[in-house]
């Protein structure tokens, strides 16, 4: 237990260091790029005096390392910001104020995050069930006609863009069959049933694409595991094929699935832009695209850091799950 606790603590420290490195890289990349941020923020019709006033208000005249120090201070202890007419306190963790609306970036993120998390959580359950189940069945039925059909379906799913699947589902399910309403996000706390019904099509659209990758990975991993010596020993002792596939081979092949799922969950929080746009879901992805279009750097940096946080968190959890699922993993 002590070894496992130390392993978890080391992974937590490593995740914190990784996040700090990401914050440095992201901040430098966005704030050291060519272009006059004050001019873009103020607008093309601003006079030089107005541009200088905006730059002073946004502390853009300070050196980059000084501004990054203020940024870290806001994350840890909060910070006071001048909005021109008043002083606004931004509580920790503070990611700054939006150039466009003077709203705290964390408030924007908290408003959008439940939508993206709802989309990713439901889609994750579906892509694991569909992908792992299809991969298991394909490995079990290797060389048969059903296995060839499943392989063809997964290849088609990998090659089909998410917006194509989403459009087909909306036209057929919502338009022709009228089985579901056109998606319109409803908060889970307001109406859980409507929340699920309105997210069902976005979940399916995103899950069908990701499930194809999980099916192919599960099939390849299980075929490799089924060829190992201990599986042949189980067969020699008369253990049933279903038990071998479901209990022994799947557990041995699950480590790559955990890794892929960690990457997908982390990146999908902010990367499901097409899905959110297609179904009109006001999530992190849509807000990030809008912030990039209007060059709202604090929002862009904040959103990227939040997405990076979920990627690092998902991979740290995956490392811990490796040790739980596969006892051969060395806790280093």
């Amino acid at each position: 237990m002590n070894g496992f606790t130390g392993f978890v603590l080391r992974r937590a420290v490593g995740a914190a260091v990784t996040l700090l490195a990401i914050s440095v890289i992201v901040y430098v990349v966005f704030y050291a790029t060519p272009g006059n941020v004050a001019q873009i923020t103020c607008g093309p019709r601003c006079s030089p005096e107005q541009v200088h006033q905006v730059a002073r208000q946004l502390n853009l005249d300070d050196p980059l390392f000084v501004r990054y120090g203020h940024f870290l201070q806001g994350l840890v202890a909060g910070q006071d910001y001048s909005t021109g007419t008043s002083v606004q306190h931004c509580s920790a963790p503070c990611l700054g104020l939006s150039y466009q609306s003077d709203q705290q970036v964390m408030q924007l993120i908290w408003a959008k995050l439940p939508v993206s998390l709802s989309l990713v959580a439901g889609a994750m359950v579906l892509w694991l069930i569909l992908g792992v189940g299809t991969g298991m069945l394909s490995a079990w039925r290797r060389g048969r006609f059903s296995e060839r059909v499943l392989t063809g379906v997964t290849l088609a799913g990998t090659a089909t863009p998410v917006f194509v699947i989403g459009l087909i589902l909306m036209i057929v399910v919502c338009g022709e069959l009228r089985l579901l309403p056109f998606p319109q996000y409803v908060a889970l706390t307001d109406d859980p049933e409507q929340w699920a019904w309105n997210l069902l099509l976005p979940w399916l659209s995103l899950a069908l694409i990701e499930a194809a990758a999980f099916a192919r990975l599960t099939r390849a991993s299980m075929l490799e595991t089924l060829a190992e010596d201990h599986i042949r020993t189980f067969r020699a002792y008369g253990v049933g094929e279903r038990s071998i596939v479901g209990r022994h081979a799947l557990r041995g092949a699950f480590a790559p699935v955990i890794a892929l799922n960690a990457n997908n969950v982390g990146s999908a929080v902010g990367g499901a832009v097409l899905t959110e746009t297609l179904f009109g879901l006001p999530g992190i992805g849509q807000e990030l695209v809008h912030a990039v279009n209007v060059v709202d750097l604090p929002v862009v940096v904040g959103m990227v850091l939040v997405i990076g946080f979920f990627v690092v968190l998902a991979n740290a959890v995956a490392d811990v799950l490796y040790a739980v699922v596969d006892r051969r993993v060395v806790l280093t």
Side-chain angles (χ1 to χ4, degrees), residues 22-327:
I22 291 174
S23 70
V24 173
I25 295 172
V26 170
Y27 199 89
V28 170
V29 165
F30 282 104
Y31 282 97
T33 51
N36 193 327
V37 177
Q39 181 69 63
I40 295 173
T41 304
C42 187
R45 298 183 181 181
C46 288
S47 63
E49 292 79 11
Q50 290 173 316
V51 173
H52 179 70
Q53 182 179 358
V54 171
R56 185 175 56 184
Q57 178 182 334
L58 300 176
N59 297 321
L60 296 175
D61 294 331
D62 295 335
L64 185 63
F65 70 91
V66 174
R67 282 183 280 157
Y68 178 72
H70 292 320
F71 179 75
L72 286 183
Q73 176 186 347
L75 287 176
V76 177
Q79 197 170 356
D80 292 330
Y81 288 90
S82 172
T83 60
T85 58
S86 61
V87 176
Q88 181 178 156
H89 178 70
C90 180
S91 301
C94 177
L95 294 172
L97 301 183
S98 168
Y99 287 167
Q100 301 296 320
S101 64
D102 286 334
Q103 187 177 357
Q104 295 183 19
V105 175
M106 279 305 302
Q107 291 180 352
L108 290 172
I109 293 174
W110 284 125
K112 306 294 183 179
L113 192 58
V115 182
S116 295
L117 291 182
S118 297
L119 174 63
V120 174
M124 181 190 69
V125 174
L126 290 179
W127 78 49
L128 284 176
I129 293 174
L130 295 175
V132 175
T134 302
M136 285 180 57
L137 184 60
S138 181
W140 186 25
R141 308 289 292 182
R142 182 185 182 185
R144 303 182 184 182
F145 177 75
S146 57
E147 186 265 341
R148 296 189 182 93
V149 173
L150 291 174
T151 301
V153 170
T154 55
L155 287 174
T158 305
T160 306
V162 64
F163 61 86
V164 173
I165 292 181
L167 282 174
I168 292 174
L169 287 176
M170 279 200 295
I171 292 172
V172 175
V173 177
C174 300
E176 297 294 332
L177 302 179
R178 298 183 180 180
L179 296 177
L180 292 173
F182 284 95
Q184 183 177 2
Y185 181 75
V186 177
L188 175 62
T189 54
D190 293 339
D191 191 335
E193 183 179 353
Q194 288 301 315
W195 169 82
W197 278 113
N198 281 275
L199 283 175
L200 185 56
L201 285 187
W203 287 341
L204 284 173
S205 300
L206 186 57
L208 289 175
I209 297 296
E210 301 295 346
F214 278 91
R216 297 180 66 186
L217 179 63
T218 303
R219 177 183 180 275
S221 300
M222 288 198 64
L223 289 177
E224 181 179 353
T225 305
L226 287 171
E228 293 180 356
D229 292 337
H230 70 282
I231 297 296
R232 287 196 289 267
T233 302
F234 286 135
R235 286 177 176 146
Y237 277 98
V239 179
E241 193 68 18
R242 291 186 180 182
S243 179
I244 290 175
V245 172
R247 295 183 57 186
H248 304 287
L250 179 61
R251 184 169 184 175
F254 213 62
V257 174
I258 293 175
L260 180 60
N261 190 60
N263 291 328
N264 283 9
V265 169
S267 59
V269 172
V273 179
L274 288 176
T275 307
E276 291 180 1
T277 303
L278 178 63
F279 293 101
L281 301 177
I284 292 288
Q286 272 199 343
E287 185 64 29
L288 179 59
V289 172
H290 173 72
V292 170
N293 289 334
V294 298
V295 201
D296 198 345
L297 291 185
V299 177
V300 174
V301 171
M303 294 282 185
V304 172
L305 287 180
V306 169
I307 295 169
F309 168 78
F310 279 102
V311 172
V312 172
L313 177 64
N315 282 275
V317 173
D319 287 342
V320 176
L321 289 178
Y322 289 156
V324 175
V325 172
D326 193 344
R327 297 180 180 179

